[in-house]
Amino acid sequence: MTKFYFVRHAEPNYNNHDDLTRELTSKGLRDRLQVTKFLTNKSIDVIYSSPFKRAIDTVKHFADSVNLPVHLEDRFRERRIDSIWIKDFDAFTQKQWSDFSYKLSDGESLGQVQTRNIDALNVLLKQHKGQNIVIGSHGTALSTIVNYYQPTFTLKNFTEIKHLFPFVIELTFVQDNCTNIVLYDILKEPPHEAPLL
């Protein structure tokens, strides 16, 4: 059995419009301690992250606590929207979820995001079979992974969690088959579990 713990980053500073360097807020820095608390008893073997600062910083406190490095995997980055800041994000998101091939001229479709994330996951599934893996991730990218294994996860489900920073989604694999998906709201005490598969 192989387990992935995808960690959606803690609260980011949206005043920073640069996707790569957007940092956590002071609340985000505090909330990442809940990530460490949640993962501490999970016997984690290896840690990966999107190269975006907010994702790295969300898992780095835990990584340091267990003396493990954070390996960067570019394919787990968040979707590229466009080269400009989108003001009506909700309308754009609705279009993308209704058509996985929809994208702006300098952006990515959800289908493209899903393909690269699943490709990266499959590589790690082969490399770390039987292990427990943490991956620092993002809300939309992670939602496309869930949708791949559970197609009934759609815009409605994404909307319910899009303001939740951070959360953890656990994917359990037996051989190459995803057999269980659980979302954990780790800011609740005890963490709230929501089965997705």
Side-chain angles (χ1 to χ4, degrees):
M1 187 165 59
T2 306
K3 286 194 176 186
F4 288 89
Y5 295 92
F6 280 88
V7 180
R8 196 264 180 103
H9 60 79
E11 183 182 79
N13 174 22
Y14 283 118
N15 292 322
N16 180 354
H17 291 182
D18 181 68
D19 224 14
L20 183 63
T21 65
R22 187 175 305 131
E23 70 280 11
L24 299 179
T25 63
S26 56
K27 180 181 187 305
L29 290 171
R30 290 192 305 272
D31 288 346
R32 70 182 181 165
L33 302 181
Q34 295 301 115
V35 173
T36 297
K37 182 178 178 182
F38 177 82
L39 294 173
T40 293
N41 65 349
K42 300 296 188 290
S43 302
I44 302 302
D45 297 292
V46 63
I47 303 170
Y48 287 85
S49 178
S50 151
F52 290 7
K53 180 173 174 56
R54 60 192 182 276
I56 298 167
D57 288 351
T58 300
V59 298
K60 182 121 180 23
H61 184 271
F62 169 71
D64 290 346
S65 75
V66 292
N67 199 30
L68 287 173
V70 177
H71 304 282
L72 301 186
E73 173 48 74
D74 186 61
R75 287 173 293 182
F76 288 127
R77 71 189 183 277
E78 183 59 294
R79 133 199 79 167
R80 179 171 172 78
I81 296 173
D82 202 358
S83 54
I84 59 171
W85 184 257
I86 302 297
K87 290 186 179 178
D88 192 350
F89 186 74
D90 288 340
F92 169 74
T93 299
Q94 189 168 3
K95 285 182 182 177
Q96 285 216 303
W97 276 94
S98 62
D99 178 2
F100 260 44
S101 66
Y102 176 78
K103 63 179 181 175
L104 298 177
S105 59
D106 197 22
E108 290 180 289
S109 69
L110 291 188
Q112 290 172 313
V113 175
Q114 185 180 67
T115 296
R116 64 172 165 77
N117 273 268
I118 294 297
D119 286 349
L121 188 155
N122 284 333
V123 168
L124 297 189
L125 188 57
K126 289 183 175 64
Q127 288 179 349
H128 300 289
K129 195 169 290 293
Q131 294 186 321
N132 296 326
I133 305 120
V134 165
I135 300 173
S137 187
H138 304 269
T140 300
L142 181 46
S143 293
T144 68
I145 293 174
V146 175
N147 170 267
Y148 179 83
Y149 294 108
Q150 180 56 278
T152 58
F153 185 96
T154 59
L155 175 63
K156 176 182 178 292
N157 307 97
F158 171 76
T159 302
E160 290 170 354
I161 63 173
K162 73 176 182 178
H163 296 298
L164 190 59
F165 301 100
F167 62 75
V168 175
I169 291 185
E170 175 190 289
L171 286 83
T172 302
F173 286 81
V174 175
Q175 300 304 322
D176 295 333
N177 299 314
C178 184
T179 59
N180 196 38
I181 303 175
V182 179
L183 182 146
Y184 294 94
D185 180 350
I186 62 172
L187 295 185
K188 293 186 176 177
E189 189 61 47
H192 175 73
E193 298 180 32
L196 301 177
L197 176 62

